[in-house]
Amino acid sequence: AQKVTQAQTEISVVEKEDVTLDCVYETRDTTYYLFWYKQPPSGELVFLIRRNSFDEQNEISGRYSWNFQKSTSSFNFTITASQVVDSAVYFCALSNFGNEKLTFGTGTRLTIIP
Amino acid sequence: DTAVSQTPKYLVTQMGNDKSIKCEQNLGHDTMYWYKQDSKKFLKIMFSYNNKELIINETVPNRFSPKSPDKAHLNLHINSLELGDSAVYFCASSDRDRGGYTFGSGTRLTVV
C-alpha cells in the first residue's frame, strides 16, 4: 500500500523567510512519481512539480526548490523569500507508473504573515 | 481555454435527491479521474477511467456512478444524496507519457 505523510499540519512564517514543507512517502513500487500541488484559498489544485523515482536531482523553479532523497523516502519542498501569495494548503502526492492514481498526504497549511 | 472543466461549480441540494456533475478535458489525455476532498481537506481518489474503461473503483458506495461517454468526458452521477456526501469533488485527467496531471476547479456539493 502507498502512503504519504505530511507531518506539519500548519506552518506560519513571516514574509521573506524561507520555509520547508516536509513529505515522507511509503511504497513497495520501485518506479513511481512524486508530486506537489498548491491549493490556494480559492480552492483549485495547482500543479507544481512531478518527479519520477529515477531522477533524484534537485529541482529549482524560481523561489521554489525540491529535494528528493530516495534513501530517506522524502520529497521536501522549500520556498525561498516567502510571499503572502504563497499562503495556501500544499499537498504532496505519490503514484505508481501503472495506473497513475494519486495518493495524497493530508496537506500542510502555510500562512505567510505580512 | 480551460483544460479540465467541471460543471456546476456549486451545487446545493436536499437529501434524497439525485444529481450529476459533468467533466470535460481538452488535453487529449487518456485517463480521467474523480477525487473527493472532505471537510478536513483530505483528498482521495474515487474512480479512474482509461479510454472509457473503468480502471479504479475505490470502495465508493454504489450510489455513485461514473459514466464516460468518450475519453474526453467523465461524468459523476449520485443517487439518493446523503449529508455525508457534502464535499468538494475534483475531476482530473492525466497522460502517462507526457507527464501531465491536471485537475478541474472542483465542484462544491452541499447536501442539506
Side-chain angles (χ1 to χ4, degrees):
Chain A
Q2 298 182 325
K3 185 178 178 184
V4 176
T5 302
Q6 294 179 255
Q8 303 150 309
T9 307
E10 295 191 29
I11 301 176
S12 294
V13 300
V14 177
E15 197 173 17
K16 295 184 185 172
E17 288 185 354
D18 299 347
V19 58
T20 295
L21 308 183
D22 297 333
C23 173
V24 174
Y25 62 92
E26 296 175 29
T27 180
R28 290 195 205 118
D29 298 320
T30 54
T31 53
Y32 48 88
Y33 292 119
L34 292 161
F35 300 77
W36 276 95
Y37 282 87
K38 174 182 179 180
Q39 188 172 42
S42 51
E44 71 272 25
L45 286 163
V46 179
F47 169 81
L48 296 178
I49 190 171
R50 182 187 89 152
R51 297 309 295 265
N52 71 53
S53 51
F54 298 128
D55 185 1
E56 282 194 75
Q57 281 195 343
N58 292 332
E59 175 130 354
I60 298 175
S61 176
R63 296 184 297 107
Y64 295 170
S65 62
W66 290 269
N67 181 272
F68 176 28
Q69 294 199 348
K70 282 179 87 166
S71 59
T72 55
S73 297
S74 65
F75 187 44
N76 296 337
F77 172 32
T78 297
I79 302 175
T80 304
S82 60
Q83 299 175 3
V84 172
V85 293
D86 296 328
S87 295
V89 179
Y90 290 86
F91 291 95
C92 182
L94 168 71
S95 78
N96 62 29
F97 271 31
N99 60 30
E100 295 268 320
K101 161 188 130 176
L102 288 182
T103 298
F104 282 89
T106 49
T108 298
R109 182 179 297 278
L110 176 64
T111 302
I112 308 299
I113 304 164
Chain B
D1 283 342
T2 304
V4 180
S5 60
Q6 296 178 228
T7 53
K9 190 167 176 63
Y10 300 97
L11 185 53
V12 181
T13 187
Q14 289 187 322
M15 279 176 57
N17 283 350
D18 302 339
K19 289 293 177 188
S20 293
I21 306 171
K22 294 186 175 181
C23 179
E24 176 182 4
Q25 55 99 0
N26 62 7
L27 297 165
H29 288 171
D30 288 334
T31 309
M32 295 186 72
Y33 312 81
W34 279 106
Y35 285 82
K36 179 180 179 180
Q37 186 173 41
D38 63 22
S39 58
K40 295 183 179 176
K41 294 281 194 182
F42 186 60
L43 274 156
K44 190 169 175 184
I45 191 165
M46 300 173 68
F47 300 103
S48 157
Y49 269 75
N50 182 274
N51 277 323
K52 303 191 297 174
E53 280 192 46
L54 179 66
I55 304 296
I56 296 173
N57 181 339
E58 288 279 313
T59 324
V60 177
N62 58 16
R63 297 183 296 103
F64 290 79
S65 52
K67 293 228 173 7
S68 181
D70 55 60
K71 76 173 194 177
H73 295 84
L74 180 61
N75 304 323
L76 183 64
H77 188 75
I78 315 169
N79 289 327
S80 303
L81 278 154
E82 300 177 356
L83 292 177
D85 297 332
S86 295
V88 179
Y89 293 84
F90 285 97
C91 178
S93 70
S94 74
D95 182 299
R96 187 182 312 163
D97 296 330
R98 288 180 285 168
Y101 205 119
T102 307
F103 282 84
S105 56
T107 296
R108 182 174 295 276
L109 171 65
T110 303
V111 182
V112 297

